[in-house]
Amino acid sequence: QVQLLESGGGTVQTGGSLTLSCTTSLNNFEIILMGWYRQTPGKQRELVASISSARTTDYADSVKGRFTISRDSAKNTTFLQMNNLQPEDTGVYYCSARAPVWGRGRVNDYWGQGTQVTVSS
């Protein structure tokens, strides 16, 4: 069973920083895409940042220049460095991994349990 374990959430003041970590049981060669998503009450889950197997990154406009996604393949871990945090960054952050379902000709998205980030003003 694929597992994704997130850590690093917490409460910070406006302008502060946090680093989220996501460790997966998937092998590196299986991972097509790693992503961090954010969900707030009453809103749909939104993509914050993603990084492909080729290390191509993509960011939501609202976090460009403040957040950085990276992967440490040796540790099977993906990071989200968040700087200059703002109250609107508050939410539950979920890690996601996209990988092929072997023998089925399709891919699947796996999710972590989420970690809370709260930015106080």
Side-chain angles (χ1 to χ4, degrees), residues 9-110:
T11 300
V12 296
Q13 292 186 333
T14 297
S17 298
L18 283 173
T19 300
L20 305 183
S21 300
C22 173
T23 301
T24 176
S25 60
L26 286 166
N27 293 309
N28 281 312
F29 70 87
E30 296 181 282
I31 297 172
I32 299 170
L33 189 75
M34 293 293 300
W36 284 99
Y37 289 74
R38 175 171 67 202
Q39 188 161 25
T40 54
K43 292 186 178 181
Q44 287 189 332
R45 194 173 295 186
E46 62 173 345
L47 177 66
V48 174
S50 65
I51 184 167
S52 71
S53 57
R55 298 299 191 270
T56 300
T57 58
D58 190 27
Y59 297 93
D61 288 342
S62 60
V63 307
K64 284 180 180 177
R66 300 188 298 122
F67 291 12
T68 302
I69 189 171
S70 61
R71 281 181 61 186
D72 184 337
S73 298
K75 298 181 179 179
N76 282 7
T77 300
T78 301
F79 303 96
L80 185 67
Q81 174 68 44
M82 304 185 294
N83 298 325
N84 191 22
L85 283 160
Q86 302 297 311
E88 53 266 32
D89 295 318
T90 295
V92 179
Y93 283 70
Y94 294 90
C95 176
S96 175
R98 178 167 295 170
V101 180
W102 300 112
R104 298 292 182 93
R106 62 179 178 87
V107 298
N108 196 30
D109 289 328
Y110 302 93

